[in-house]
Amino acid sequence: MSATPTTHTATPRRHRARLLVPAAIAVLAFTATTAAADTSPTTAAGRTATAHDRRAAEQKPRVMLDAWLRLWNGDLAQAPGIISPGFRVHAALLDGGDGSSIRGVDGLVAWIGQTRAAFRDLRFTIEVPPLVDGRYASVRWTATGTYAGGFPGAKAQPGTVVTFTGTDTLRMRDGRFAEYWVNSDTLSLLTQLQAL
């Protein structure tokens, strides 16, 4: 590699400096104009729009959680609008699985379908209002349903009404749920099904 003479490096630097100075001035002028526009007195309409935007951003997770509740209550058409294609589940399943086999919209819909087949009138209600923190939302629920039969090891008669509780924690990404952690009182459920 050859050394470049000092006189040749000074010229390109001066040339680059001549190109950068007008660009820097243009950026400063744009920034000053934008800053002046941003610091101008805010009208009542501007304050309302900003407050409205904040409220809308805060309400989006709650709207999604309402759709999530409807989904689990049997409105499976909600899934494509709120579930990410890469959706993942983390759960201690009754079959010993960890939920990793449940993926995407189709996997979740199939899982909900299996759950609802055992308890056809299963109804979830919110027990504690949702907690939302950035990309995460958590909600405490109660589920009540009539046992339809067919649960492995269950001695309860079909027609037995069961009630159990749980907590869903969901991670949101790009306006959809991307990841799901569920903790439910399976001990209570299995006891009511006389499966222990």
Side-chain angles (χ1 to χ4, degrees):
M1 191 159 137
S2 64
T4 307
T6 311
T7 55
H8 291 274
T9 57
T11 306
R13 283 188 191 150
R14 280 191 210 126
H15 180 67
R16 275 184 292 196
R18 276 188 241 133
L19 292 175
L20 291 176
V21 170
I25 291 170
V27 168
L28 288 172
F30 176 76
T31 305
T33 305
T34 307
D38 289 344
T39 58
S40 62
T42 306
T43 63
R47 279 193 302 275
T48 303
T50 303
H52 179 268
D53 292 345
R54 252 186 271 126
R55 269 195 306 278
E58 290 168 2
Q59 290 301 315
K60 177 70 173 166
R62 294 184 195 287
V63 170
M64 289 173 61
L65 285 169
D66 287 344
W68 176 256
L69 182 66
R70 289 194 305 276
L71 171 63
W72 276 94
N73 281 333
D75 184 1
L76 302 180
Q78 295 292 321
I82 62 168
I83 303 301
S84 166
F87 183 79
R88 296 183 316 162
V89 173
H90 307 278
L93 302 178
L94 293 173
D95 66 2
D98 64 0
S100 61
S101 63
I102 303 166
R103 294 283 184 146
V105 174
D106 294 339
L108 179 62
V109 167
W111 186 36
I112 293 171
Q114 290 169 353
T115 303
R116 297 192 65 78
F119 307 95
R120 296 193 194 287
D121 62 349
L122 190 61
R123 191 86 187 140
F124 290 84
T125 56
I126 302 299
E127 188 177 308
V128 176
L131 302 172
V132 178
D133 184 14
R135 300 178 302 146
Y136 294 90
S138 188
V139 64
R140 176 80 174 166
W141 49 260
T142 298
T144 302
T146 307
Y147 176 52
F151 192 90
K155 296 180 185 93
Q157 293 297 313
T160 300
V161 175
V162 299
T163 299
F164 59 103
T165 60
T167 302
D168 290 352
T169 301
L170 297 129
R171 181 176 62 86
M172 297 167 278
R173 181 176 180 195
D174 300 329
R176 294 184 181 187
F177 292 124
E179 207 163 359
Y180 171 42
W181 293 264
V182 60
N183 292 298
S184 57
D185 189 351
T186 53
L187 177 60
S188 175
L189 176 61
L190 292 174
T191 301
Q192 293 172 73
L193 292 175
Q194 300 172 29
L196 294 177

